[in-house]
Amino acid sequence: MSSPPVSLSPANIWSQDFGGKAGVTAPEKLDKPLQVVTVRAASVPSSKPHNFLAKKGFNVRSYGTGERVKLPGMTFDKPNVYEFGTSYEDIHRDLESKDKEFYTQNGLLHMLDRNRRLKKAPERFQETKEKFDIIVTVEERVYDLVVLHMESMDSVYNRPVHVLNVDVVDNAEDALMGAFLITDMINLLAKSNDLDNDIDEMIQEFEERRNRVILHSVLFY
């Protein structure tokens, strides 16, 4: 008989993942970390799962799938737009020059400061030549783009990659909850000695425990 779904508040997820110990930020490292990538449209907000997974010991990268990086502007119809590859340092400096107080209050400068400690610049998924064991997206339209891109590539190495989608609403609270969920899911998958064989059963276990629906495709490099 299945256990009842667990409450999805960040506090409850944190308690389960880290034993309820406040301040625990660097869990034990894995012997053979999975190659993991998190992907969303603009790539910038994806630093939360990137950060959490890195602290768990995974070899993790983060990418976007859009044509450009778009960040909220001072009005809804005028976002700040940057080319992929523009450094977080330059984006941070640009927003500071436009209105430091406004972008401090809405959290963008803090987010960029956190991101620039993880990587130099936002990167576009379709341009990377790296290979991963698991690709995690946070919305279905990005999942579809990733699957379409992978299917358009010739399979040369016959190396499987699992593409998974965990829907996360794009706001600060849900992004934090999504980061916990993604970390929990990857941590579960990392326990397998034969991921290709075990992943369907493990996804089902995760879906039942977290009351979530996970999209899953197996593609090949």
Side-chain angles (χ1 to χ4, degrees):
M1 182 175 178
S2 301
S3 57
V6 177
S7 169
L8 293 179
S9 71
N12 283 349
I13 296 172
W14 178 264
S15 176
Q16 288 194 27
D17 285 348
F18 300 110
K21 297 179 181 179
V24 177
T25 57
E28 184 178 348
K29 302 298 183 182
L30 300 168
D31 292 334
K32 295 181 179 179
L34 292 170
Q35 306 286 323
V36 181
V37 60
T38 62
V39 184
R40 62 180 307 134
S43 91
V44 173
S46 66
S47 67
K48 279 192 174 69
H50 182 142
N51 190 30
F52 285 12
L53 287 166
K55 287 178 178 178
K56 278 282 193 177
F58 294 98
N59 188 345
V60 60
R61 299 290 298 272
S62 54
Y63 292 90
T65 56
E67 293 295 327
R68 293 176 179 82
V69 177
K70 292 184 179 181
L71 297 175
M74 299 184 71
T75 60
F76 178 77
D77 60 337
K78 293 182 179 180
N80 293 285
V81 181
Y82 305 94
E83 297 294 331
F84 278 102
T86 304
S87 72
Y88 286 121
E89 186 71 34
D90 287 344
I91 297 173
H92 191 283
R93 188 180 301 114
D94 181 54
L95 295 184
E96 268 192 325
S97 69
K98 290 177 177 177
D99 195 319
K100 182 176 181 179
E101 182 178 358
F102 176 81
Y103 289 113
T104 298
Q105 290 179 349
N106 75 359
L108 266 183
L109 291 182
H110 173 72
M111 180 188 72
L112 291 166
D113 186 54
R114 181 182 66 235
N115 287 9
R116 65 185 176 181
R117 293 195 294 267
L118 292 172
K119 55 190 292 188
K120 181 179 179 180
E123 300 170 278
R124 192 165 185 258
F125 175 75
Q126 293 91 328
E127 296 172 359
T128 184
K129 302 299 182 183
E130 293 197 51
K131 300 174 183 62
F132 304 96
D133 299 308
I134 299 175
I135 300 172
V136 182
T137 64
V138 295
E139 54 182 314
E140 189 169 346
R141 69 186 181 93
V142 176
Y143 172 85
D144 291 340
L145 284 171
V146 168
V147 170
L148 185 64
H149 171 69
M150 295 296 298
E151 288 179 336
S152 72
M153 299 170 59
D154 292 331
S155 177
V156 177
Y157 303 100
N158 199 34
R159 172 179 169 175
V161 55
H162 297 275
V163 185
L164 305 167
N165 182 72
V166 180
D167 279 324
V168 178
V169 178
D170 194 6
N171 61 51
E173 182 178 352
D174 286 301
L176 177 61
M177 183 177 71
F180 282 120
L181 285 169
I182 290 169
T183 303
D184 183 38
M185 180 178 68
I186 299 300
N187 199 47
L188 173 66
L189 299 180
K191 296 175 181 178
S192 171
N193 292 319
D194 186 354
L195 185 61
D196 296 335
N197 185 60
D198 298 340
I199 190 167
D200 287 336
E201 184 176 341
M202 290 181 134
I203 289 174
Q204 183 178 354
E205 176 187 338
F206 180 83
E207 288 177 323
E208 292 174 354
R209 182 156 54 90
R210 295 302 193 195
N211 196 26
R212 288 279 178 134
V213 175
I214 306 299
L215 300 178
H216 174 223
S217 293
V218 184
L219 301 167
F220 293 87
Y221 286 109

